[in-house]
Each structure stands twice: as structure tokens, then as C-alpha cells.
Amino acid sequence: MLIQCTKKLADVMKIKLEDYTDERDSFYDWHANLFMFDRRKGIILMNNKTRYCIVLYGLKLNDFKKFDDIFISSIEETFIAEGFPLSKVKQYLKKCGEVKYTKTHDRSILGQINDFHIHISWEIEYHLPSESLNLVELNKWTGQLMTGPAMGYKYPIDLLRKEIENI
């Protein structure tokens, strides 16, 4: 799994990003961007192929050190909450492979992350406070936001369902 981080996020995580070189199935790759809300750090992760978002909020320094585990468990938790069978979710995570961090490479995805960030900034307060870093109900809500022209004005949850069925 490639997590393509913005420079702002890489600086907070204190990691060195590799150059993006892999040409592979974009369903197993994610873009990530840092945001601040109410003086707390959050991350919007967007799947490259489906534009489905996972929002993590309230991260602290120690959370960035174990980010791989947090993100993988958030994918599992969110996909199960969306109604996908556990077997399909496990297959997806197995096919993702080892987590690697690279530089971003797709400006259209970054633009959509910024668009979704605007929507999320209006909605996030209804999902707080939360005991969990993974805001599952907010993730489900973002799945109902229409994507832009690059994706043909479709809903991320519909694109995700189609991809999960094909695993």
C-alpha cells in the first residue's frame, strides 16, 4: 500500500518520502493530507481509485509513530461499517501489502481532497467529541459526496462497492 503524503503531513510525521515510481492498481493506494480543526490535528486519506475518504481526527505525536497500524485498522473498521463482508475486507488489506510513504503525484486527487476538506469542516463538529481517532460516521457521510469531473460525477461509496465486489 502506498500512502502518498503531502509535505505538510510528512513534516509532522517526521518521515522522508520516497519518489512515486510504482505503476500499479490505484485501488490499493491512498493520498493523505493534514488538516487542523479546533486546534487538533486530523488527516484526510483518500483512495486514489474510488475517492473514498477516511478521516482521522485528534491525532497526537505518539499516534503518528504507529500510523500504519491506526490506518489499517481504520480501513477495516470503516469498510465493515459500510456493510462489506469481513472476508472481502481482509482480502483487500492482504492485497495492499506493506505500507510505504511516497510523495504525491496526482493533482486532481489533491484538489478533491481540498474540496472534501471544505465539506468536512462544516460537518465534523456533529461527530465530535469522539473516543476514537477514526470518525466512521463522518467517513460514511463523505462516501455520499459526489466526486468531480475526473471521476464522472459519481459517489465514492458506489465506486468502492464496485471495486470490493471485484476482489
Side-chain angles (χ1 to χ4, degrees), residues 3-152:
I3 299 177
Q4 296 151 23
C5 299
T6 58
K7 183 176 180 341
K8 183 168 56 169
L9 177 57
D11 290 345
V12 169
M13 292 178 74
K14 297 179 178 145
I15 58 173
K16 188 173 189 295
L17 299 175
E18 301 173 19
D19 288 329
Y20 177 80
T21 56
D22 288 326
E23 285 300 324
R24 46 186 248 149
D25 188 355
S26 61
F27 184 47
Y28 303 101
D29 297 342
W30 297 74
H31 268 69
N33 190 26
L34 182 75
F35 72 93
M36 296 290 289
F37 180 80
D38 198 24
R39 299 184 315 160
R40 296 178 193 254
K41 292 180 177 94
I43 298 177
I44 298 174
L45 293 124
M46 182 177 278
N47 183 271
N48 288 5
K49 191 166 191 176
T50 65
R51 302 304 198 262
Y52 189 87
C53 283
I54 292 184
V55 180
L56 304 175
Y57 178 75
L59 293 132
K60 296 185 169 95
L61 185 61
N62 286 338
D63 297 324
F64 288 107
K65 293 177 182 173
K66 54 185 177 183
F67 185 75
D68 298 6
D69 297 330
I70 291 171
F71 180 50
I72 289 170
S73 65
S74 296
I75 290 174
E76 184 174 353
E77 180 183 13
T78 302
F79 285 11
I80 289 171
E82 286 285 9
F84 297 117
L86 181 61
S87 61
K88 291 282 190 179
V89 174
K90 293 287 187 189
Q91 282 180 307
Y92 172 78
L93 293 173
K94 186 176 179 183
K95 287 186 176 187
C96 283
E98 180 187 354
V99 176
K100 294 181 183 174
Y101 296 94
T102 66
K103 296 178 181 177
T104 60
H105 77 283
D106 192 331
R107 292 173 55 105
S108 72
I109 295 174
L110 293 173
Q112 286 211 305
I113 286 176
N114 289 331
D115 288 347
F116 276 46
H117 178 248
I118 292 167
H119 292 290
I120 289 167
S121 66
W122 287 96
E123 183 70 19
I124 194 169
E125 64 188 77
Y126 299 112
H127 302 275
L128 299 176
S130 174
E131 296 291 320
S132 174
L133 296 174
N134 183 19
L135 302 178
V136 175
E137 291 304 315
L138 182 61
N139 299 341
K140 290 169 72 174
W141 180 82
T142 60
Q144 301 297 324
L145 296 174
M146 192 173 287
T147 62
M151 299 299 294

